[in-house]
Amino acid sequence: MVQHEKYSGAGRYAPSPSGDLHLGNLRTALLAWLFARSTGRSFVMRVEDLDRARDQGSAATQLEHLASLGLNWDGPVVWQTERIDAYAGIVRQLDEAGHLYECYCTRREILEAPVAPHQPPGNYPGTCRDLSESERREARRRIAPRSAALRLRFDEPHREISFTDGVCGETTGVIDDFVIMRGDGAYAYNFVAVVDDAWQGVDQIVRGDDLLASTPRHIALQRLLGYAQPEYHHVPLVLGPDTKRLAKRDGAVTLPELLEQGETAQSVLSLLGASLGLNEQGARVTTQQLLERFDEARLPREPWVWHPASPQ
Ligand code: GLU
Ligand code: ZN
């Protein structure tokens, strides 16, 4: 284990409050904690509750569950619903600098439009990029009462972004003019995650590798806002027995479900540690012991396939 005496950066975990955390979420949280603590960083927590502002109860339970496994964090939890003024200020700043434009397209129009040259399918084809003021007035009238979304303008040399991921290695992505504020006024994940990571002093991001493809967008935005680029480690997901991403259909997968089946917080931690090759199956371990044994170089690179215990 490497010790950095006076390291001042931070790692983080950023759950979305959409019900109880399952083994996949818990394993990613444990990894984020191990990466941060093993490099002498702080570990900060952020609840990504913009889409589910009504689900505060599930966030509180998630935080309790993380704490019950021994994952501690520094400072107060950041709730994105309390950061709206900050997001609005940054949108204003980007707008004044001429980086934003309104987009009137529906999801369907974007899917049906021809793919722009050098862009992967699904990327925004730039339909509303260069409209005149009168075309914009007309489009606003056409889509009313719906409002326009706001997109970031990226010109050609800034569209291809490469970075080195600690786990996945060299990664390149071609980015489009992605949305930062949706037509319904909600701030997009790609925007708020970048703003909050910088604001929380995060310089190490550990998350599921399903988000690897979003990272070039995040880096493009960091460059635009003059933020330092954090290091990235996208870790393998946990899969169900059908080798699809772990989900409710796979049986008892959340912490309360596992506790109900006779597991304890302690045995779940041991299960997660074993999946990372840090302890023997069934051995009693503490987060401190896992921390002493953790080594990124020996992190399993394949997804962990979870096989629920057969019914007793
Ligand atoms: N809130 C996201 C999730 O729960 C994580 C986003 C991130 O780590 O950047 O999947
Ligand atoms: Zn558009």
Side-chain angles (χ1 to χ4, degrees):
M1 188 181 74
V2 195
Q3 285 282 8
H4 302 260
E5 291 279 300
K6 284 206 182 101
Y7 202 87
S8 63
R12 49 71 147 183
Y13 186 59
S16 301
S18 54
D20 286 323
L21 298 171
H22 63 49
L23 281 171
N25 309 126
L26 296 171
R27 189 174 186 256
T28 301
L30 172 60
L31 278 168
W33 184 89
L34 289 168
F35 270 93
R37 297 299 190 204
S38 69
T39 52
R41 286 176 165 85
S42 316
F43 187 62
V44 296
M45 192 61 72
R46 172 170 81 242
V47 176
E48 302 207 318
D49 58 347
L50 287 186
D51 275 347
R52 304 171 206 269
R54 279 164 276 115
D55 207 0
Q56 303 273 327
S58 113
T61 309
Q62 289 181 339
L63 296 174
E64 263 170 48
H65 289 167
L66 292 168
S68 77
L69 291 184
L71 305 182
N72 56 351
W73 56 88
D74 303 301
V77 173
V78 170
W79 299 74
Q80 289 190 322
T81 43
E82 292 174 4
R83 298 259 307 137
I84 301 295
D85 292 348
Y87 306 143
I90 294 171
V91 166
R92 217 174 303 122
Q93 179 192 325
L94 285 167
D95 191 29
E96 281 164 11
H99 294 300
L100 301 184
Y101 65 89
E102 289 185 351
C103 168
Y104 315 96
C105 302
T106 60
R107 195 179 293 263
R108 179 183 205 139
E109 282 163 349
I110 294 170
L111 286 175
E112 286 173 355
V115 176
H118 318 297
Q119 286 278 344
N123 269 15
Y124 179 65
T127 320
C128 305
R129 200 171 212 257
D130 299 310
L131 300 182
S132 67
E133 239 346 284
S134 67
E135 286 169 319
R136 292 197 180 279
R137 269 196 303 275
E138 164 54 29
R140 281 182 209 122
R141 255 197 305 275
R142 176 169 56 81
I143 68 165
R146 196 161 63 80
S147 299
L150 290 178
R151 289 186 182 272
L152 269 173
R153 182 189 296 273
F154 288 103
D155 291 311
E156 214 32 80
H158 308 293
R159 284 183 174 265
E160 192 173 294
I161 305 263
S162 298
F163 69 102
T164 306
D165 186 86
V167 181
C168 305
E170 217 29 51
T171 306
T172 299
V174 175
I175 60 152
D176 59 358
D177 289 350
F178 59 88
V179 167
I180 67 163
M181 194 169 97
R182 300 198 312 239
D184 63 4
Y187 295 101
Y189 159 72
N190 286 322
F191 172 64
V192 294
V194 166
V195 168
D196 286 343
D197 280 328
W199 185 67
Q200 290 184 274
V202 169
D203 67 348
Q204 179 192 59
I205 294 181
V206 177
R207 59 187 172 203
D209 63 12
D210 54 328
L211 288 166
L212 183 68
S214 304
T215 300
R217 290 190 165 100
H218 298 181
I219 294 173
L221 182 54
Q222 285 153 9
R223 291 180 185 169
L224 206 57
L225 291 170
Y227 298 163
Q229 185 178 319
E231 55 177 67
Y232 287 97
H233 309 263
H234 287 85
V235 298
L237 293 181
V238 178
L239 307 179
D242 54 1
T243 70
K244 295 207 181 80
R245 187 206 287 231
L246 191 70
K248 297 261 179 246
R249 63 172 181 275
D250 298 314
V253 292
T254 66
L255 192 58
E257 286 167 347
L258 291 161
L259 297 181
E260 211 166 280
Q261 293 216 323
E263 301 283 347
T264 60
Q266 162 59 232
S267 67
V268 171
L269 184 66
S270 166
L271 184 70
L272 297 173
S275 83
L276 296 170
L278 298 176
N279 57 264
E280 295 293 326
Q281 205 79 41
R284 258 192 101 76
V285 281
T286 62
T287 46
Q288 204 50 45
Q289 285 166 326
L290 295 181
L291 184 57
E292 280 155 22
R293 297 172 197 173
F294 177 68
D295 176 4
E296 175 172 24
R298 290 170 43 209
L299 181 71
R301 304 287 149 135
E302 283 76 50
W304 178 41
V305 183
W306 160 249
H307 293 280
S310 34
Q312 321 266 317

